[in-house]
Amino acid sequence: MLLCIPDVLNAQEAKRCREATLAADWEDGRATAGPQSASVKTNRQLPLESPAGAALSETVSRALLANQLFLSAALPLRILPPMFNRYGVGQTFGAHVDNAIRRVRGVDATIRTDLSATLFLSDPESYEGGELTIETSSGAQAVKLPAGHMVLYPATSLHLVTPVTRGERISSFFWVQSMIRSAERRTILFDLDQTIQDMQARTGPADENGVRLTGIYHNLIRQWAET
Ligand code: NI
């Protein structure tokens, strides 16, 4: 499932984040790429250990944990601290699949990347190219969202960023290890949760069927979750 989540940051917050990244020192994006990815990647990244990188990462993390749609779709067990990248004119990231396991910087821990996410920070009118193109079962989908909006997609997907031909594309990206490893099961739980919420908005939270369906939702998580 490829899901676009609007307003993870509002336009003002996205602008503030974007401006804060511009004041920071950037490094070559190949610093965090494996050998295959490094051969097709030309961009810059904000070092996570820098004060600006750490503070911005914290801002995005807080926004994620407050976003009900993200929590419902990802059912996160662990979230890798969000990072930031920047594509200027001519920069691109060719087709690749993200590494399955990533080390969490600064601590002795790894996460399995079940979901990939890109949070757009640049206004789409401010640059050309720079589409995130994700291969799905119904063909390639090009994603370019308003500043503050995010796309969440299975980390198993082949994807690329087309070359930027004007302006600059700044975004945040990160990975999630979900409590629910199977993408199919995550989709079932997301559909059920959204249906319950939609129903309860009309019937109120005390409706007997809503209470029963909520019980079924939690019992499925009990069956399927890894914690
Ligand atoms: Ni990638």
Side-chain angles (χ1 to χ4, degrees):
M1 179 179 58
L2 186 156
L3 181 69
C4 294
I5 303 179
D7 300 313
V8 173
L9 299 176
N10 66 35
Q12 272 306 314
E13 291 167 331
K15 182 167 181 265
R16 245 180 281 133
C17 271
R18 187 174 65 245
E19 287 173 354
T21 68
L22 289 173
D25 289 326
W26 293 77
E27 67 180 6
D28 190 318
R30 283 171 287 203
T32 58
Q36 192 273 328
S37 290
S39 70
V40 292
K41 184 179 187 185
T42 56
N43 68 0
R44 284 183 290 167
Q45 285 176 191
L46 207 55
L48 202 57
E49 61 272 17
S50 68
L56 286 161
S57 188
E58 184 59 37
T59 300
V60 174
S61 292
R62 270 201 304 273
L64 292 171
L65 294 177
N67 189 290
Q68 291 306 317
L69 198 56
F70 166 72
L71 296 175
S72 176
L75 293 165
L77 177 62
R78 298 190 189 96
I79 302 173
L80 201 75
M83 297 192 277
F84 297 83
N85 61 18
R86 179 175 186 179
Y87 293 82
V89 171
Q91 295 194 310
T92 179
F93 197 162
H96 66 282
V97 172
D98 297 336
N99 288 353
I101 304 291
R102 297 200 81 97
R103 186 155 288 286
V104 185
R105 279 204 193 182
V107 289
D108 184 21
T110 54
I111 79 158
R112 186 188 64 229
T113 58
D114 295 324
L115 290 154
S116 298
T118 293
L119 170 62
F120 291 78
L121 293 176
S122 296
D123 290 315
E125 300 77 30
S126 70
Y127 64 98
E128 268 168 39
E131 280 97 4
L132 173 61
T133 305
I134 302 165
E135 214 161 85
T136 72
S137 53
S138 44
Q141 287 206 42
V143 182
K144 185 174 188 176
L145 300 176
H149 295 210
M150 182 171 95
V151 60
L152 189 65
Y153 59 100
T156 48
S157 318
L158 197 64
H159 59 282
L160 58 93
V161 177
T162 62
V164 169
T165 56
R166 176 182 64 83
E168 188 168 55
R169 173 199 194 267
I170 296 175
S171 61
S172 177
F173 64 101
F174 60 92
W175 292 273
V176 178
Q177 180 171 341
S178 177
M179 289 187 285
I180 310 297
R181 182 177 193 157
S182 151
E184 288 80 7
R185 288 178 177 179
R186 269 200 312 274
T187 301
I188 291 168
L189 289 167
F190 178 66
D191 288 343
L192 180 56
D193 187 33
Q194 295 303 304
T195 304
I196 293 169
Q197 287 188 39
D198 187 54
M199 195 182 96
Q200 288 189 326
R202 282 179 281 115
T203 61
D207 176 76
E208 192 186 331
N209 286 328
V211 171
R212 285 181 187 280
L213 281 172
T214 302
I216 291 168
Y217 172 77
H218 285 286
N219 289 337
L220 284 172
I221 291 184
R222 243 185 288 280
Q223 288 293 316
W224 292 342
E226 307 166 355
T227 56

